[in-house]
Amino acid sequence: MKSLEAALASAKNHKHAVAPLAPKDGFPKLPKIGGVRFAAVQAGVRYAGRYDVMMALCDPGTTIAGVFTRSSTRSANVLDCQAKLGSDPSGGAAIIVNSGNSNAFTGSSGENAVAEISKTVADVTGVAENRVYTASTGVIGERLPYDRITTKIGDLNDALDESGIEFAARAIMTTDTFPKGSMAEVEIGGRTVRIAGIAKGSGMIAPDMATMLVYIFTDAKVEQKVLQAYLSGLIDETFNSITVDSDTSTSDTLILAATGASGVEVTPKDEAFQTGLRSVMMDLAHQVIRDGEGATKFVEIHVSGAKSKADARTHAMSIANSPLVKTAIAGEDPNWGRIVAAIGKSGAAADRDKLSISFGDILVAEKGWVSPEYREEQGANYMLGEEIVINVDLGLGKGEATVWTCDLTHAYIQINADYRS
């Protein structure tokens, strides 16, 4: 077997040109999380010479929480994982993920693939089948050649390493241009708790949890129901507040695993743990937007003054998903009229003569018309930046919401037109 360092160097050789919005320092140095080990292999699920399957093996006592896409056409993997939440943690847990094929819309063949992979992982690792969590990402509607995966599970088991999380992050990439990782360390009762997470996601990203594949690990000791409450409570403000293209995947999964290796028990409403988990989730969500297919701009949209929080979110998502707004941003055109149109079509309450629009701190429009002090060159200069903030005040109430998106460029069309080529 290759050393972890040599294998990781090989994994770095098969990637797209890195997105301009990628973190400048590359993949972060993540802490080792006691109680979990990682491995990845080349299985040839779709592409030759590509690391495309990863496995994480968690020690006995690990609790698992999860959130998933609500797509009506979700994959067999998603349905299987949902059914397994809350199972007995005494025998440990395994997570196995392949890229290149989503195993979605494949009928009984998809269900059989999940069963065979789960059984083989159980046989090799000793983890119970109902504690094997599978995921697949890639092309929809093609049968998963699961035998290419099952024949490699022994190799995965042999290669498990507590330092292998970056390797795992690379193996789950599809059109991603960089692996995504984040970490936090928090103090609870004078002792350190570590949290580390990885994600994949670049296109087919829209709020409906989980919007992508995300795996987060902590060495805290957390009961399953408590862990699920933390995760579910943070979803809307993080992963459910990002959108690349308004399309929701059939395969989206977020798994949070608490190994308990630190011995530090986390109880409900622990502020330190919640803050650390929120930090990791928000960072990973933003990295997905920064790697949006063809993206050149990271865009924050903040809506305030709505009649309700729900209305504010509706308006924000209408702006974020508008192709006209997104292409204007790509062209560095401060076309605030397109924002007005997106507000008007959202279906939530709005009053033309009460709303105001700003680009960053630049007041662009107010009281139903362009601001008297606004000059077009101000907006044009602001749009040259890589990070754009659009502020909308509806003037109707106290509801507010923030969402994040990216621009829409020619590269998005090219990537998706050639996706199966």
Side-chain angles (χ1 to χ4, degrees):
M1 293 293 291
K2 292 182 180 179
S3 69
L4 182 63
E5 292 77 12
L8 183 55
S10 175
K12 291 179 179 179
N13 290 332
H14 53 78
K15 63 183 180 182
H16 304 290
V18 176
L21 301 175
K24 304 306 180 188
D25 297 329
F27 193 82
K29 183 175 177 58
L30 301 184
K32 296 176 183 178
I33 303 296
V36 59
R37 295 171 293 148
F38 306 88
V41 295
Q42 297 182 29
V45 173
R46 184 171 183 84
Y47 305 110
R50 178 167 176 165
Y51 281 79
D52 57 356
V53 180
M54 82 84 165
M55 186 165 74
L57 189 64
C58 301
D59 285 355
T62 298
T63 54
I64 302 288
V67 284
F68 307 89
T69 180
R70 292 189 293 264
S71 168
S72 297
T73 55
R74 55 194 180 274
S75 71
N77 304 73
V78 170
L79 293 169
D80 186 66
C81 286
Q82 288 178 303
K84 289 175 177 176
L85 286 184
S87 52
D88 182 5
S90 60
I95 297 166
I96 184 164
V97 185
N98 74 269
S99 60
N101 182 308
S102 74
N103 194 36
F105 205 67
T106 50
S108 60
S109 173
E111 295 170 0
N112 184 58
V114 171
E116 289 296 325
I117 292 170
S118 297
K119 181 179 184 303
T120 306
V121 170
D123 289 344
V124 172
T125 65
V127 170
E129 283 186 49
N130 70 342
R131 293 281 290 170
V132 178
Y133 298 88
T134 70
S136 299
T137 180
V139 174
I140 295 170
E142 296 183 3
R143 290 189 177 187
L144 178 66
Y146 65 84
D147 56 310
R148 300 179 189 179
I149 299 171
T150 54
T151 57
K152 294 288 186 176
I153 291 172
D155 292 342
L156 283 166
N157 192 58
D158 292 342
L160 288 167
D161 191 297
E162 62 182 359
S163 301
I165 193 168
E166 180 181 352
F167 204 18
R170 291 183 178 275
I172 63 176
M173 292 164 58
T174 51
T175 58
D176 305 61
T177 71
F178 62 89
K180 300 162 184 66
S182 186
M183 60 80 65
E185 292 185 347
V186 299
E187 294 295 317
I188 298 175
R191 300 168 68 185
T192 301
V193 164
R194 296 171 178 84
I195 306 169
I198 58 175
K200 67 82 52 181
S202 185
M204 199 178 279
I205 303 297
D208 205 355
M209 209 44 257
T211 70
M212 67 212 78
L213 298 184
V214 184
Y215 299 97
I216 301 174
F217 304 88
T218 177
D219 58 9
K221 184 177 181 181
V222 195
E223 290 183 7
Q224 197 278 331
K225 289 183 178 179
V226 175
L227 192 67
Q228 186 66 51
Y230 276 112
L231 182 60
S232 298
L234 292 171
I235 285 302
D236 280 348
E237 65 184 279
T238 56
F239 293 108
N240 270 357
S241 290
I242 64 172
T243 177
V244 167
D245 49 21
S246 81
D247 276 324
T248 297
S249 172
T250 58
S251 307
D252 303 334
T253 298
L254 191 164
I255 294 291
L256 170 61
T259 68
S262 69
V264 180
E265 187 169 354
V266 172
T267 56
K269 300 181 180 180
D270 186 296
E271 268 190 48
F273 184 76
Q274 185 176 47
T275 298
L277 182 58
R278 177 190 289 112
S279 172
V280 170
M281 291 171 66
M282 190 72 81
D283 185 21
L284 290 174
H286 285 183
Q287 287 187 54
V288 169
I289 293 299
R290 292 181 179 279
D291 200 18
E293 290 171 343
T296 65
K297 308 284 187 182
F298 179 83
V299 185
E300 177 178 303
I301 299 167
H302 180 70
V303 175
S304 61
K307 283 190 172 180
S308 66
K309 182 176 181 179
D311 273 10
R313 179 179 174 82
T314 296
H315 283 302
M317 294 307 303
S318 182
I319 297 167
N321 283 325
S322 167
L324 290 177
V325 172
K326 291 160 76 72
T327 50
I329 293 171
E332 299 177 336
D333 177 9
N335 192 340
W336 54 271
R338 293 182 175 182
I339 298 170
V340 173
I343 293 168
K345 75 172 185 178
S346 77
D351 185 327
R352 178 198 64 190
D353 296 332
K354 290 184 178 180
L355 70 87
S356 64
I357 298 169
S358 300
F359 295 145
D361 295 328
I362 304 167
L363 181 63
V364 176
E366 61 177 340
K367 299 177 181 178
W369 191 239
V370 63
S371 172
E373 289 78 30
Y374 176 67
R375 298 294 179 268
E376 183 77 2
E377 57 269 23
Q378 292 177 286
N381 287 334
Y382 182 76
M383 287 293 167
L384 297 176
E386 285 188 345
E387 301 198 4
I388 306 296
V389 178
I390 297 172
N391 291 304
V392 174
D393 187 341
L394 293 159
L396 299 176
K398 297 182 178 180
E400 60 181 307
T402 302
V403 303
W404 295 269
T405 189
C406 57
D407 54 346
L408 180 60
T409 68
H410 292 288
Y412 178 88
I413 298 171
Q414 183 177 7
I415 290 166
N416 284 283
D418 296 339
Y419 183 58
R420 297 203 302 164
S421 301

